[in-house]
Amino acid sequence: HFVQAALEPGAEVLLSLDWERRFDHMQQHSGQHLITAVAEQMFGFKTTSWELGRQRSVIELDTPSMTAEQTEALERSVNEKIRERVPVVVRELAADDPEIETVRSRGLPEDHVGPVRVVDIQGVDSNMCCGTHVSNLSDLQVIKLLGTEKGKKNKTNLVFLAGSRVLKSIAQSHSTEKALTSLLKTGPGEHVEAVKRLQNSMKLLQKNNLNLLRDMAVLIARDFKSQPVPSQLFVLHRKEGDSEFMNIIANEIGTEETLLFLTVGDDKEAGLFLLAGPGDAVENLGPRVAELLGGKGAGKRGRFQGKAAKMSRRGEAQALLQEFVSRQSPEA
């Protein structure tokens, strides 16, 4: 708390508190104490650190792994303690009190002075702590363990929600479930299978689309080569396409004599480009084309390709290439 001037000990002050946020922190913190104590009692997993996150919290356990069965058993046990309405009591002990030796702790700071604050979950845990807590485990309402993740240094991160966060998570999941039911036209129990079917259909469509693009690339190249007097510069842009589409065209046309400038992507946004042709020309023009298109690229053996951030400047790049071709023309 920040004040404009020092306060006299014992002075009464008016404090404005965000109670919803404070109570959330109390639920998560007391929930962590409970999970930590029961995990150690049941499996010998010691807590080495924890994080109070904005949406979910994480306890770092000193174990390389934790099975799904252990997680389920731990969740059942902590929720049993909540239903038993176990009191949570805050005490202050003198620094030289022998009872401190029996309290779970990572040790006091070297510069600590004054009494030691201890948080007791009666019959479950006694732990040094300076944080805010509920006064009874029933205030936690419920704890949900979301599972584990691989932690650092051969440890395991246990992810959990406590109290109101569980209710918020359920509400969010239900909202998502309703939206998916509307989109997929199936009940919640069939959502996974419906998505799998959509994924399979998408893969098939992508495969068919790729085959069509390949065929189109070959036809475009053959049409160009069938011209009585092929142009020295070939320019093509398609919104649909990829690097393979452009390279097929370049392979089919051949780049010994013709300079090719191919682009794919949105007309006015980002996309891909390929400059192909005689090696010296491409080596000279490639970086300049990339710069005009606001992109980056690389090239070798007569090809320079990359990403373009400004497709709207294709006309400027084409003008640069046309000027180069005109200077190389015998008539010029």
Side-chain angles (χ1 to χ4, degrees):
H1 303 286
F2 296 92
V3 294
Q4 294 180 346
L7 298 174
E8 292 294 328
E12 291 188 2
V13 298
L14 179 63
L15 174 67
S16 177
L17 181 69
D18 182 346
W19 176 247
E20 183 178 352
R21 180 172 182 269
R22 168 60 63 85
F23 188 62
D24 170 62
H25 287 184
M26 292 163 60
Q27 287 184 317
Q28 309 316 308
H29 199 168
S30 296
Q32 176 265 314
H33 276 224
L34 177 60
I35 296 168
T36 286
V38 177
E40 185 168 351
Q41 292 165 10
M42 292 182 69
F43 310 115
F45 298 161
K46 293 185 179 298
T47 292
T48 49
S49 69
W50 85 290
E51 177 190 4
L52 171 58
R54 290 181 179 275
Q55 296 179 326
R56 63 177 199 165
S57 298
V58 179
I59 298 173
E60 183 184 69
L61 297 174
D62 193 10
T63 177
S65 63
M66 186 174 183
T67 67
E69 291 76 17
Q70 288 173 322
T71 303
E72 292 171 6
L74 177 59
E75 182 177 279
R76 284 196 300 271
S77 182
V78 296
N79 281 294
E80 285 172 4
K81 299 296 183 186
I82 293 172
R83 291 194 296 274
E84 290 171 6
R85 298 178 55 81
V86 176
V88 180
V89 179
V90 176
R91 298 181 293 146
E92 289 188 351
L93 300 178
D96 58 354
D97 192 318
E99 188 178 349
I100 288 181
E101 298 299 324
T102 66
V103 175
R104 185 167 57 84
S105 169
R106 286 186 289 175
L108 286 169
E110 293 182 1
D111 59 352
H112 174 80
V113 293
V116 177
R117 189 169 185 269
V118 177
V119 176
D120 290 326
I121 302 176
Q122 290 187 359
V124 179
D125 184 47
S126 184
N127 184 20
M128 290 184 194
C129 184
C130 59
T132 55
H133 290 271
V134 299
S135 59
N136 192 290
L137 289 188
S138 62
D139 290 330
L140 298 183
Q141 299 171 277
V142 66
I143 286 177
K144 178 60 186 173
L145 303 183
L146 298 179
T148 60
E149 300 171 349
K150 185 175 178 58
K152 299 177 181 178
K153 298 180 180 179
N154 214 28
K155 296 181 181 181
T156 297
N157 292 333
L158 178 63
V159 185
F160 76 94
L161 303 174
S164 299
R165 293 194 182 190
V166 178
L167 300 179
K168 289 178 181 178
S169 178
I170 292 173
Q172 183 178 14
S173 295
H174 182 61
S175 177
T176 301
E177 189 177 89
K178 287 176 63 178
L180 286 172
T181 296
S182 176
L183 290 169
L184 298 173
K185 309 301 181 186
T186 61
E190 300 173 341
H191 284 176
V192 173
E193 289 303 316
V195 171
K196 286 181 179 179
R197 289 195 297 271
L198 283 175
Q199 288 179 326
N200 290 334
S201 297
M202 181 65 70
K203 288 178 182 178
L204 181 60
L205 287 171
Q206 288 175 334
K207 183 178 179 180
N208 291 338
N209 185 54
L210 182 58
N211 289 333
L212 288 172
L213 281 173
R214 287 170 176 167
D215 293 342
M216 185 183 297
V218 172
L219 291 173
I220 288 171
R222 289 179 180 175
D223 180 64
F224 174 79
K225 292 173 68 175
S226 68
Q227 296 177 10
V229 183
S231 171
Q232 291 180 288
L233 175 63
F234 177 74
V235 178
L236 177 73
H237 172 76
R238 285 196 66 86
K239 186 174 182 179
E240 305 82 7
D242 55 16
S243 294
E244 184 179 8
F245 172 75
M246 295 187 294
N247 278 291
I248 289 174
I249 293 176
N251 291 339
E252 290 291 324
I253 290 179
T255 57
E256 292 80 6
E257 298 179 358
T258 305
L259 188 62
L260 293 86
F261 177 47
L262 310 174
T263 54
V264 294
D266 193 281
D267 292 350
K268 297 181 180 179
E269 296 182 11
L272 305 174
F273 73 92
L274 169 66
L275 183 67
D280 291 343
V282 171
E283 184 178 356
N284 173 41
L285 295 167
R288 296 166 65 185
V289 168
E291 183 178 0
L292 279 173
L293 297 177
K296 295 181 179 179
K300 60 181 179 180
R301 294 194 294 273
R303 296 197 185 184
F304 190 98
Q305 55 189 332
K307 295 182 178 179
K310 301 176 181 177
M311 275 296 181
S312 58
R313 300 183 65 182
R314 292 193 326 275
E316 296 176 48
Q318 182 176 342
L320 170 69
L321 299 175
Q322 188 64 61
E323 181 184 357
F324 174 83
V325 168
S326 298
R327 290 201 308 268
Q328 305 300 312
S329 173
E331 292 80 3

